[in-house]
Amino acid sequence: MLEISKNVYALGAFYNRTLGAEEYAAFQRYLGLAPRTVVVRAFNRLQIGLSGCYVYGLDYKRMLKRNCAAVKYLPQHPNGVQFALVQYFFQVSTNAGDVLNLVMAKTLTLQRDYDDTTHIHVVESHHQELITFPLRDVCCNCIFISFTDNPERGYICEFISGFVRLILRLPFNDAMALKKVTLCQVTSKPKIEPNNTLKFSGLVHLT
């Protein structure tokens, strides 16, 4: 465990990574100019705070039973709160000798503007675009739920006081794919409501 900024720790080994064309383009968009290298110092796992808010990038292949790649982040532009799936983290050095801690991630586009009165948000999970943003913009990790029967849409759930209780009303076709949801343990019997939606609740603990 290596502290790379205040209360932020890189877990596991660093490795040299050569950026692919799409990754290079995402990095270039972030910098606003052509990067001077295609080789970066990457790592796949992150811990925020000593209490343990963990983010494991999609490139971490040992995480098989759950997805810990979803993050909430606050970009430095008027769009406000956004969500993404982290691919990996990486570092680059500037000409001045400073080290930039960055995130390579896939976009999760909110269907509506962010609403801070709810902890469940609908996102578009198709046509994901690679983006790069500063690690300092990451607020916390989240839960991303998607259904194989409807891959164009997913749900982001924010943690509240160490756990998330999900109460979702889904179109019946989505609900039938409930067994394919990851990271959601159903704690109430699903109920079909008059508008042909299925309501269920579940509890996910932050570990």
Side-chain angles (χ1 to χ4, degrees):
M1 184 168 70
L2 175 66
E3 187 172 23
I4 56 176
S5 61
K6 186 175 180 180
N7 291 327
V8 177
Y9 305 89
L11 305 177
F14 285 80
Y15 59 95
N16 288 332
R17 183 186 184 103
T18 301
L19 299 177
E22 191 176 357
E23 295 167 320
Y24 185 87
F27 188 24
Q28 183 175 11
R29 286 193 299 271
Y30 166 71
L31 292 177
L33 50 85
R36 60 190 183 92
T37 180
V38 295
V39 179
V40 299
R41 189 169 182 248
F43 61 99
N44 293 329
R45 296 183 293 149
L46 185 81
Q47 178 179 335
I48 303 173
L50 292 175
S51 59
C53 168
Y54 297 98
V55 183
Y56 290 6
L58 296 173
D59 280 3
Y60 184 67
K61 302 305 183 185
R62 294 184 182 180
M63 181 62 70
L64 301 177
K65 293 185 178 181
R66 53 182 175 158
N67 181 333
C68 292
V71 293
K72 172 184 175 181
Y73 70 101
L74 187 61
Q76 305 302 310
H77 57 68
N79 289 346
V81 172
Q82 300 292 326
F83 297 94
L85 291 174
V86 172
Q87 194 74 38
Y88 58 88
F89 307 93
F90 67 104
Q91 293 182 325
V92 292
S93 297
T94 66
N95 291 332
D98 299 323
V99 175
L100 301 179
N101 294 308
L102 302 171
V103 182
M104 187 70 70
K106 294 180 177 180
T107 55
L108 291 174
T109 305
L110 286 164
Q111 285 194 343
R112 300 177 180 175
D113 290 341
Y114 179 76
D115 181 0
D116 61 7
T117 65
T118 181
H119 61 276
I120 301 173
H121 312 276
V122 181
V123 294
E124 297 177 4
S125 54
H126 65 302
H127 303 308
Q128 293 176 345
E129 179 185 13
L130 273 181
I131 55 171
T132 297
F133 56 88
L135 180 54
R136 65 174 179 270
D137 288 354
V138 174
C139 303
C140 59
N141 60 349
C142 305
I143 296 170
F144 173 61
I145 297 173
S146 63
F147 298 86
T148 55
D149 289 359
N150 188 2
E152 295 190 352
R153 182 176 60 194
Y155 301 87
I156 280 285
C157 306
E158 299 184 61
F159 289 110
I160 299 177
S161 301
F163 65 89
V164 166
R165 181 171 294 279
L166 308 177
I167 301 178
L168 296 178
R169 288 176 173 86
L170 302 175
F172 194 76
N173 289 339
D174 278 358
M176 290 302 94
L178 181 62
K179 62 184 179 181
K180 300 169 186 175
V181 175
T182 58
L183 292 180
C184 180
Q185 176 187 356
V186 177
T187 57
S188 70
K189 185 176 180 180
K191 175 184 177 182
I192 299 177
E193 297 191 327
N195 58 353
N196 201 32
T197 62
L198 186 140
K199 176 184 177 182
F200 66 93
S201 67
L203 185 66
V204 179
H205 287 281
L206 174 59
T207 58

